[in-house]
Amino acid sequence: MRRAVPRPKWVVAIIAFVVFWCFLLVNGLVHSEIGLDQRISPPVDASHVPDQIRNGGPIIDTVHQPARSYQVPPKTVVLTFDDGPDPRWTPEVLRVLRKHRVPGTFFIVGSLATRYPEIIREMRESGAEIGIHTFTHPDLVYAAGWRRQLELSESQLAIAGAAGVTTSLVRPPYSSMSRALNNATWPVVQDTGRLGYFTVLTTHDTKDWQRPGVDAIVRNGIPRGGVGGIILLHDAGGDRSQTVAALDRLIPELRKKGYRFSTVAGVLRQPTANPEADPAERWRGVTLVTAVRVATFVIAVCAAALLVTGVLILARLLLMLAFASRHARRRKSRDWSWGPPVTEPVSVIVPAYNEKECIADTVRSLVASDHPVEVIVVDDGSTDGTADIVESLRLPNVTVIRKPNGGKPSALNTGIMHARHDLIVMMDGDTVFERDTIRRLVQPFADPEVGAVAGNAKVANRRSLIGRWQHIEYVIGFNIDRRVYDILRCMPTVPGAVGAFRRQALLQVGGVSDDTLAEDTDLTMAICRAGWRVVYEETARAWTETPATLGQLWRQRYRWSYGTIQSMWKHRRALFEGGPSGRFGWFGLLSLALFQVLLPLLAPLVDVFLVYGLLFLDPLKTFLAWLAVLLVQLLSGAYAFRLDREPLRTLWLMPLQQFVYRQLMYLVLIQSVVTALTGVRLRWQKLTRSGGLNAILATETGRPRD
């Protein structure tokens, strides 16, 4: 049995998804836990710590056995700086060190080093010594063995990638003096030794992190009685202006007292603590630094896009409240009328390609209309006997036209050529009309300015989860938008499932074009630009069978998305024209680009940052922010459902829709954009239908069969 090979679209989508989440995880690891300085006090029992270590010097060697410690020689100090690099304060500290020509030892946080590699290089160029202060600044006492190793190895790679060197020095976060070691912290020192590192503790804490004032910092940093020591300062973690000022005074004060300045390697009488990294380690380090910088850029762009998403969601809500409600109030007004009742006959064109499951229900619903119609079924080269099924029904005023397969636009144009009436309704072969649909659909033609009318497409097969998600989308994403477009007079799409046209408008724009896959959108845009008014009649309902599987849904929405992008590009000149075309360009094309392309493309970022925030940021604040966005969407959905007179019980699926359905639409749009950029041309695709639409209406929507 031959293994199924993933289709290219899925492969590209999966690769893009994985790469994006890798960037998120890299950025989250780099930015998490920094500055979280609270810890639980470890036990004070020190029975497992050797006396010579606890009572020894601040530099501890557990690399070799037995473990030993090193004292700093008298009248010698090592200036050490923790928690950097910081783009604001580390260069200031380096400037003071260069000014006084003294070395410094910087215990850097690896994640910050990957964000600011240029500062690490500046350290090396200034002659400073570099040690590790872990990658994300956790308390290693509470970290598992694998986490300790990862914290050190990733920091080592960060240094190698930034400056091309390695280090043999480490200072665990929250460590203190050697006499403070106990049974909880001693295993950490032993682990660092097994990994090849000398642990560097302190003898004098300036407490500059408390910002006690310059005088206090200087006072705390001066050893008493001429003993040597390792002095602790910080070059990151907040405002370090007091540290910089105190350092500028501390160095001259120590010199006056006869102190010399050294490094940890100098105390150990070693040539350097930062040997050159081997090429392999340097290459891995450069890869890590590059990945972090790219991830930081990607997240910054995503954060900006998230802000845009919030603005678009709010703008759409305001448009809905302002224009959709105005549309509803106008249509419900007692004195509202399109004009004298439209009673003239209508030609209904049904393009059909292998629609044997649904075509009988479709044609029967048309013949049962309470408005005079002629029905023209254009069989576009079907191979399943669609035309034979229609002819076998022997229904009055129904004509079947057979033609070779040429695509939906060709089938529609054939129907237009054979239509006898001036008002033409177009529908799909998988749709059924209610008894009064056509009558309601053509009433707006009482206004001579109206060239096309969009009906209200409803999802018939809404019992399944996928069907309900599409039902939500149809009500909130399509029908509510058509109300807004109606008021703004910039309707971009008359749905192929239910739309009516004036023959004169169709002839003026040259009929239905096959330039795009979204022929209904292309045709509607052309009619708008020609000066005709396109309106929305929400009472003209049509029930259509939507895709029943994710694969079918993907193919349909891919065609829709790609076709919409094609149509927007085809009619882009409307943005630079005057009159009706210019109005459509500025209101129709821009709103379509913002709310039908950009917003659906960006909306999944809300859910992406929910997961990101729960993992790496404040979980409560993140969840509350996501909940606020969801609440806005639920309120918008409830309002849209109310306008469409739909029960609200389906809306409980909206949160789940955000995590599954929206992600699918996101991937579809990515593929559509890629396809548009590469110029691939797609054919009219046929979806699998289950048929029995009248039965579906009776069982799933609760509406009686005609």
Side-chain angles (χ1 to χ4, degrees):
M1 183 175 179
R2 188 173 59 182
R3 293 183 60 185
V5 179
R7 295 186 178 183
K9 63 182 180 184
W10 289 105
V11 172
V12 172
I14 291 172
I15 291 176
F17 182 79
V18 171
V19 169
F20 178 67
W21 270 103
C22 284
F23 283 137
L24 283 178
L25 292 175
V26 168
N27 190 79
L29 180 62
V30 167
H31 290 82
S32 67
E33 299 186 55
I34 300 300
L36 300 179
D37 292 337
Q38 294 78 21
R39 64 175 294 199
I40 303 172
S41 298
V44 295
D45 183 14
S47 58
H48 296 164
V49 184
D51 290 339
Q52 65 270 26
I53 298 296
R54 186 174 171 84
N55 300 316
I59 305 173
I60 302 174
D61 176 11
T62 55
V63 178
H64 309 95
Q65 295 300 322
R68 62 170 297 184
S69 65
Y70 295 86
Q71 295 280 3
V72 179
K75 288 292 183 177
T76 302
V77 293
V78 179
L79 298 175
T80 65
F81 304 88
D82 284 7
D83 295 348
D86 181 273
R88 172 70 178 87
W89 299 112
T90 303
E92 288 293 309
V93 170
L94 290 172
R95 178 186 60 80
V96 175
L97 294 175
R98 284 194 296 265
K99 171 184 174 182
H100 295 283
R101 297 183 180 180
V102 299
T105 299
F106 291 81
F107 290 93
I108 60 98
V109 176
S111 59
L112 294 177
T114 60
R115 293 166 61 185
Y116 310 112
E118 65 282 354
I119 300 179
I120 305 300
R121 288 191 288 271
E122 185 180 354
M123 288 179 185
R124 288 297 300 155
E125 291 169 359
S126 69
E129 188 175 58
I130 300 174
I132 289 175
H133 201 44
T134 72
F135 195 78
T136 60
H137 203 276
D139 191 336
L140 295 181
V141 169
Y142 305 102
W146 66 266
R147 175 71 184 274
R148 294 175 185 174
Q149 182 175 355
L150 182 65
E151 289 284 338
L152 300 182
S153 62
E154 292 301 298
S155 299
Q156 190 75 269
L157 285 179
I159 296 173
V165 298
T166 61
T167 182
S168 58
L169 308 178
V170 65
R171 173 175 287 166
Y174 314 107
S175 60
S176 180
M177 303 175 183
S178 56
R179 65 174 178 268
L181 290 172
N182 53 52
N183 291 349
T185 55
W186 174 240
V188 174
V189 177
Q190 290 177 304
D191 272 357
T192 59
R194 281 192 287 267
L195 295 173
Y197 296 95
F198 286 77
T199 298
V200 182
L201 303 178
T202 63
T203 58
H204 295 79
D205 185 356
T206 63
K207 301 187 184 300
D208 63 331
W209 52 274
Q210 294 181 347
R211 291 194 287 275
V214 173
D215 292 338
I217 294 173
V218 173
R219 186 168 55 251
N220 294 335
I222 297 178
R224 301 290 183 264
V227 299
I230 294 181
I231 302 172
L232 172 62
L233 299 116
H234 295 79
D235 63 323
D239 183 356
R240 293 293 173 243
S241 56
Q242 290 185 11
T243 300
V244 174
L247 182 64
D248 203 20
R249 284 178 47 186
L250 177 62
I251 294 173
E253 288 287 336
L254 289 169
R255 275 183 171 151
K256 286 181 183 179
K257 295 180 179 296
Y259 279 88
R260 71 182 186 90
F261 298 88
S262 183
T263 62
V264 175
V267 171
L268 296 175
R269 296 182 180 181
Q270 295 180 354
T272 180
N274 299 128
E276 293 291 326
D278 62 68
E281 191 167 24
R282 185 166 187 172
W283 180 86
R284 291 195 302 271
V286 170
T287 301
L288 174 64
V289 171
T290 303
V292 169
R293 305 205 81 172
V294 173
T296 301
F297 173 77
V298 169
I299 299 306
V301 171
C302 289
L306 185 64
L307 178 62
V308 172
T309 302
V311 172
L312 290 177
I313 291 175
L314 182 60
R316 189 175 185 275
L317 177 61
L318 295 176
L319 285 174
M320 179 190 299
L321 294 175
F323 293 102
S325 59
R326 179 182 173 187
H327 182 276
R329 289 194 305 270
R330 177 185 296 180
R331 298 297 173 84
K332 292 178 181 178
S333 175
R334 293 182 179 179
D335 59 353
W336 167 257
S337 173
W338 289 107
V342 176
T343 59
E344 60 185 281
V346 174
S347 296
V348 183
I349 302 173
V350 185
Y353 174 67
N354 290 346
E355 299 286 0
K356 69 176 182 178
E357 294 86 0
C358 306
I359 195 64
D361 286 336
T362 299
V363 176
R364 286 194 182 101
S365 74
L366 296 175
V367 174
S369 174
D370 62 6
H371 193 91
V373 299
E374 71 158 345
V375 180
I376 303 174
V377 178
V378 182
D379 184 277
D380 192 49
S382 297
T383 58
D384 65 348
T386 296
D388 296 334
I389 293 174
V390 177
E391 290 175 340
S392 68
L393 297 175
R394 301 184 183 279
L395 296 174
N397 298 318
V398 176
T399 302
V400 177
I401 300 175
R402 300 172 185 258
K403 63 178 290 294
N405 182 261
K408 189 174 181 180
S410 172
L412 290 171
N413 286 329
T414 299
I416 294 171
M417 291 173 55
H418 288 82
R420 299 199 308 263
H421 305 299
D422 290 331
L423 298 183
I424 297 175
V425 171
M426 299 180 187
M427 67 180 300
D428 292 334
D430 55 6
T431 304
V432 297
F433 283 2
E434 295 179 5
R435 183 177 178 82
D436 61 353
T437 298
I438 294 177
R439 174 171 55 81
R440 293 180 179 276
L441 187 62
V442 299
Q443 293 309 306
F445 289 116
D447 183 347
E449 293 184 357
V450 173
V453 182
N456 189 346
K458 312 290 288 183
V459 176
N461 53 327
R462 63 178 70 170
R463 176 167 293 184
S464 67
L465 182 61
I466 295 178
R468 290 177 181 177
W469 280 340
Q470 292 176 86
H471 169 52
I472 293 173
E473 183 182 27
Y474 270 59
V475 175
I476 301 176
F478 298 155
N479 293 340
I480 198 70
D481 288 337
R482 291 192 179 101
R483 295 177 185 270
V484 177
Y485 290 134
D486 190 341
I487 294 295
L488 294 176
R489 297 196 174 195
C490 60
M491 186 78 67
T493 305
V494 171
V498 52
F501 301 86
R502 215 183 277 274
R503 178 189 290 272
Q504 182 182 352
L506 291 173
L507 295 178
Q508 183 176 348
V509 299
V512 184
S513 171
D514 64 353
D515 292 340
T516 73
L517 285 178
E519 71 288 329
D520 48 2
T521 299
D522 185 8
L523 175 62
T524 308
M525 289 181 176
I527 291 175
C528 283
R529 294 182 63 194
W532 293 96
R533 184 182 174 191
V534 181
V535 300
Y536 174 55
E537 181 51 66
E538 71 274 12
T539 64
R541 290 183 292 267
W543 298 84
T544 185
E545 183 180 354
T546 56
T549 66
L550 289 177
Q552 293 177 16
L553 180 63
W554 179 289
R555 290 194 295 272
Q556 183 196 66
R557 297 311 168 86
Y558 178 34
R559 180 174 61 84
W560 285 7
S561 299
Y562 181 42
T564 298
I565 294 173
Q566 285 180 310
S567 299
M568 293 171 62
W569 180 254
K570 177 180 177 180
H571 296 278
R572 64 191 182 279
R573 292 187 179 180
L575 291 169
F576 310 101
E577 295 175 344
S581 181
R583 178 183 180 85
F584 173 77
W586 281 100
F587 289 97
L589 285 183
L590 288 182
S591 61
L592 194 67
L594 290 175
F595 299 116
Q596 299 299 325
V597 177
L598 184 60
L599 181 55
L601 189 65
L602 298 179
L605 285 175
V606 175
D607 306 308
V608 168
F609 274 89
L610 167 66
V611 178
Y612 179 84
L614 292 175
L615 290 175
F616 301 111
L617 305 176
D618 187 320
L620 180 59
K621 291 181 180 179
T622 299
F623 179 73
L624 291 177
W626 177 83
L627 199 62
V629 173
L630 179 61
L631 181 61
V632 171
Q633 293 177 327
L634 282 172
L635 291 175
S636 303
Y639 183 67
F641 268 61
R642 181 184 174 189
L643 289 181
D644 234 26
R645 299 179 181 177
E646 290 283 355
L648 301 181
R649 59 179 178 269
T650 310
L651 287 177
W652 72 269
L653 288 169
M654 279 193 70
L656 183 60
Q657 185 191 44
Q658 302 298 313
F659 287 105
V660 182
Y661 190 82
R662 291 293 184 188
Q663 310 309 316
L664 181 66
M665 297 301 101
Y666 172 67
L667 296 176
V668 167
L669 274 175
I670 288 180
Q671 186 186 8
S672 300
V673 171
V674 171
T675 303
L677 293 176
T678 55
V680 177
R681 187 176 179 86
L682 302 179
R683 300 178 61 189
W684 181 18
Q685 297 171 343
K686 176 72 178 71
L687 300 179
T688 303
R689 304 297 182 185
S690 61
L693 278 176
N694 276 332
I696 291 175
L697 291 182
T699 58
E700 297 199 9
T701 69
R703 297 181 180 272
R705 296 172 60 181
D706 290 329

